[in-house]
Amino acid sequence: MAKQLYFTQVLNPTQHGRVGDSMLLKVETHFDVQNVTFQGSWYKIKPNNTLLVTFDNINAIPNLRLTNRPALSLPDVSLKFDHLDEETQGEYELQINIVFPGIPSPVAATKRVTVTVSVPVSIPVISKTPESELVEDRDNVTLTCSVEHGTNVQYKWLKNNMVVGPSERHTFSQDYGTLVINPVKKEDIGQYICEAQNHISSKLSKPVELIVFYGPYNLAVNSEQGLKTEGVFMVNPEELVFFECIADSNPPNTCVWISKTKNSSEVLMTGPRFEVKPHELPQGKEFLCRAFNNMTKKQDETKFTLVMSSIGKGKAKYSQEGSALSPLTFITISSVVIIVCMMFVLLRKSCHPRRMIKTIYRRPMTEQRGLHRSGHEDATEDFGIYEFVSVPGKMDSTQASCRSLARLDSVKDLHTTIYDVIKHVPETPTLSLLK
């Protein structure tokens, strides 16, 4: 606890310097150096234990065997280097004994500081081994980053501006100057940049492109004509159809088109594009596209069936692009719309007020003629005097009389004049009303 009162920590426990510059290992005291007696030494303890200078209140005695001797400016015990070189780098220790007035025994204190001396880095350069082509899952690659000038250099790798870290396939040297990828894969393709840095400088290399041969992956057969459903193409018999065999591969695949039957197969052509005249082929014939990568020695194949069907070109194109409504959905919606329209028309005809009035007005005459022709007596049911009473304003369907409006149960917000029909039956009908 007493030591903390006499010294602070050296201002920077680790100090970085550039070759040729000066450096001061600053030490601050918390006591009056004029009123105490002190004696001490500076040592370089790493990499070798070397005495640099001894001192007391008045004198400083340097180690004369050193070529680059540091200096003290007493009573300040801070150590100063006028010219840094690579030999200056290391770990230093200050040991001091202090005798305070009234305290018979000296108090000892020790402080340490680490010094680095670096040369600024030059622009790094990347080398690749091997320089030949790389094949996925077969080859490995070593990328080495180096600088012509620079000390205490550490390296960092970036692929497409993203930091590359250790993984099962990515290993690094201690300073990260060497990156080994074993084995290479498709995802390793990209631009690699190396960053060289030390405590006083940082530089980036030029990008190096890493190319890897891979594939084939995601093999598929596509065509702009006809309809495709789960590996079955429906095409017009008269239409010339073109097929393409597509896969994710580097370099591009060699494609072979094969027709298959139950008992045999036939190589039709070689190339990524295949044309066929459907009317020259039997129904339901099966085809096969086989893709082969000459560099990776890998292959893949996919099958499809060709079926002839009379479909319009526009319909085929529409189906290839993807239809929002299927034919069944369209028919269902159309049927619903037609049914709703018919119900509306029938409802309107049965509930129109003027037609009801005409029907009631003509009904006794019709039934009268029917009575004369058939001799039935039921025509007298409608005999009487009718009165039309208007009900102005807005009426809801719940207010309208079913008898007056012929079951007008579904009419709402009818903005017109509503007529109610009232029948008056005389006590003694006269024969003149039946004539």
Side-chain angles (χ1 to χ4, degrees), residues 80-81 124 303:
K80 182 179 181 181
F81 297 92
K303 299 178 182 180

Side-chain angles (χ1 to χ4, degrees), residues 83-128:
H83 182 82
L84 295 175
D85 56 25
E86 294 183 13
E87 293 183 359
T88 311
Q89 181 169 287
E91 188 172 344
Y92 294 80
E93 182 178 82
L94 169 63
Q95 297 178 2
I96 189 168
N97 295 302
I98 309 165
V99 179
F100 291 94
I103 301 177
S105 299
V107 177
T110 302
K111 298 297 177 181
R112 288 187 179 184
V113 60
T114 301
V115 175
T116 65
V117 180
S118 303
V119 175
V121 297
S122 57
I123 296 176
V125 177
I126 298 176
S127 60
K128 180 171 73 75

Side-chain angles (χ1 to χ4, degrees), residues 225-242:
Q225 295 101 344
L227 306 177
K228 181 182 178 181
T229 305
E230 296 181 355
V232 178
F233 287 89
M234 299 178 61
V235 297
N236 288 310
E238 301 82 7
E239 187 176 5
L240 183 63
V241 184
F242 296 91

Side-chain angles (χ1 to χ4, degrees), residues 6-11 15 23-36 38-42 53-61 70-81 94-96 98 111:
Y6 306 141
F7 289 91
T8 63
Q9 293 288 340
V10 177
L11 290 185
Q15 293 186 221
M23 178 182 286
L24 179 65
L25 303 183
K26 181 66 175 175
V27 179
E28 292 184 350
T29 58
H30 285 174
F31 58 88
D32 186 359
V33 295
Q34 302 295 334
N35 298 325
V36 298
F38 60 86
Q39 187 181 45
S41 301
W42 273 100
V53 60
T54 60
F55 57 87
D56 56 21
N57 293 61
I58 302 174
N59 299 311
I61 303 173
L72 292 178
S73 297
L74 295 173
D76 187 1
V77 296
S78 299
L79 189 66
K80 182 179 181 181
F81 297 92
L94 169 63
Q95 297 178 2
I96 189 168
I98 309 165
K111 298 297 177 181

Side-chain angles (χ1 to χ4, degrees), residues 1 10 32 50 69 71 113 131 172 175 221 228 259 272 293 311 316 319 331 338 343 363 372:
M1 191 68 183
V10 177
D32 186 359
T50 304
R69 292 187 291 271
V113 60
E131 296 182 356
F172 297 87
D175 62 356
V221 173
K228 181 182 178 181
S259 65
N293 189 316
I311 57 175
S319 299
I331 293 173
I338 293 173
M343 291 179 63
R363 187 174 176 184
H372 288 295

Side-chain angles (χ1 to χ4, degrees), residues 172-215:
F172 297 87
S173 60
Q174 185 175 0
D175 62 356
Y176 274 57
T178 301
L179 166 61
V180 178
I181 306 175
N182 183 24
V184 293
K185 289 187 174 294
K186 173 189 173 184
E187 52 265 31
D188 297 318
I189 295 174
Q191 287 191 338
Y192 286 77
I193 295 176
C194 166
E195 181 182 5
Q197 57 187 353
N198 57 19
H199 301 296
I200 60 173
S201 61
S202 176
K203 296 287 184 179
L204 291 174
S205 69
K206 293 182 179 179
V208 170
E209 190 79 21
L210 189 65
I211 300 175
V212 178
F213 293 142
Y214 65 90

